[in-house]
Amino acid sequence: ASATLIEMRWRDGRLNEVAKIDVGGYVRAIREDRDGAIWVATETELVDFDPATGARTAYVYDTSPPPTQLTNNFPTICQDSAGTLWLGTSKGLLRFDRPSGTFTRYTNDPRNPASLSHNTVLSIAEDPSEPGILWLGTAGGGLDRFDTRTETFSVLTEKDGLPNNVVYSILTDERGRLWMSTNNGLSCFDPRTRVFRNFDAKDGLQDNEFNACAALKTRSGELIFGGIDFLKPAGVASWL
């Protein structure tokens, strides 16, 4: 299949076709890394595309036939401070090792409390104050803290103060806090104090329900989340 890569200019909304890329299946996520490469995730493979040269390299998630489909409609790609790429899928968390072109998959093990809480990972953000720690939003398991060095997980849920165990998107602010859109409003979480502060429609949100793959942090630090009504700035400065 061929996918068209389109660049949108934020200021004027203009669209510009950059390239056509051969991909295996439907495109589920796109991410530009810190070196300018474009990474495209489909159901079966991760594609590395160089917009300067047009070079394309595809890495299959699972080489055993038939190819395993690991992504659903809500995938996510994150590059951590060490340069490692992480993918959230409907079948666990993937770590991509670029030198070998292989993937390591982390999944829920009901017998192991230090495993991933839920196999559908909707969002990933690295802790701004603690490199090597990833925060994962799941589709029902709550908020996972993943230590990439020990490869262990711990989880925070509604009983810990999270407004809902479905965490669609995670953005970080300039004070090292996590802002999360959920199925029951927005939540601001301080990883150092482990305290949540939650907001709902009564605080001016568009609705209590938000959507996956609909969050953006602007260059000025404004946080924008997409919900079932429209996109709306979170208004961090006016709340805290």
Side-chain angles (χ1 to χ4, degrees):
S2 178
T4 301
L5 183 64
I6 296 176
E7 176 188 55
M8 185 184 80
R9 297 186 179 183
W10 177 257
R11 290 184 177 180
D12 55 20
R14 291 186 179 180
L15 302 178
N16 177 44
E17 182 177 319
V18 177
K20 291 189 181 296
I21 310 172
D22 290 330
V23 296
Y26 291 105
V27 173
R28 300 303 190 188
I30 301 174
R31 172 85 182 196
E32 182 179 10
D33 69 17
R34 61 191 186 188
D35 298 318
I38 305 295
W39 295 88
V40 180
T42 74
E43 295 104 321
T44 59
E45 65 184 18
L46 180 66
V47 177
D48 176 10
F49 175 71
D50 186 338
T53 65
R56 169 198 176 279
T57 306
Y59 303 93
V60 179
Y61 303 134
D62 187 351
T63 56
S64 59
T68 300
Q69 292 192 357
L70 288 181
T71 64
N72 58 6
N73 290 327
F74 313 110
T76 184
I77 305 174
C78 172
Q79 184 178 38
D80 66 19
S81 55
T84 302
L85 289 179
W86 300 86
L87 283 74
T89 80
S90 56
K91 295 183 179 178
L93 174 70
L94 293 183
R95 180 180 64 192
F96 176 60
D97 181 68
R98 192 169 187 176
S100 66
T102 59
F103 297 86
T104 300
R105 182 154 58 114
Y106 304 87
T107 58
N108 172 257
D109 180 354
R111 299 165 298 179
N112 181 7
S115 69
L116 182 65
S117 70
H118 193 287
N119 281 335
T120 298
V121 178
L122 300 176
S123 50
I124 308 171
E126 186 172 27
D127 194 313
S129 304
E130 193 173 357
I133 299 297
L134 299 181
W135 293 95
L136 315 175
T138 71
L143 176 67
D144 278 38
R145 179 185 184 273
F146 178 54
D147 189 325
T148 62
R149 296 154 297 195
T150 62
E151 299 186 306
T152 56
F153 297 81
S154 57
V155 63
L156 296 168
T157 64
E158 292 176 14
K159 68 179 182 180
D160 300 298
L162 189 67
N164 189 265
N165 287 336
V166 176
V167 179
Y168 287 122
S169 299
I170 306 173
L171 298 176
T172 61
D173 68 15
E174 303 309 314
R175 292 168 58 181
R177 298 170 301 185
L178 311 181
W179 287 83
M180 296 164 284
S181 58
T182 76
N183 255 347
N184 189 28
L186 284 179
S187 184
C188 177
F189 174 69
D190 190 327
R192 292 154 295 191
T193 63
R194 299 295 180 96
V195 173
F196 290 91
R197 181 171 181 184
N198 302 323
F199 305 89
D200 57 26
K202 296 190 296 293
D203 298 295
L205 300 183
Q206 51 84 41
D207 194 273
N208 286 342
E209 184 178 347
F210 286 81
N211 281 329
C213 304
L216 171 71
K217 181 177 181 179
T218 68
R219 291 179 179 177
S220 63
E222 189 173 42
L223 308 181
I224 302 175
F225 296 90
I228 60 174
D229 264 353
F230 50 81
L231 287 168
K232 185 171 183 179
V236 175
S238 64
W239 279 344
L240 294 179

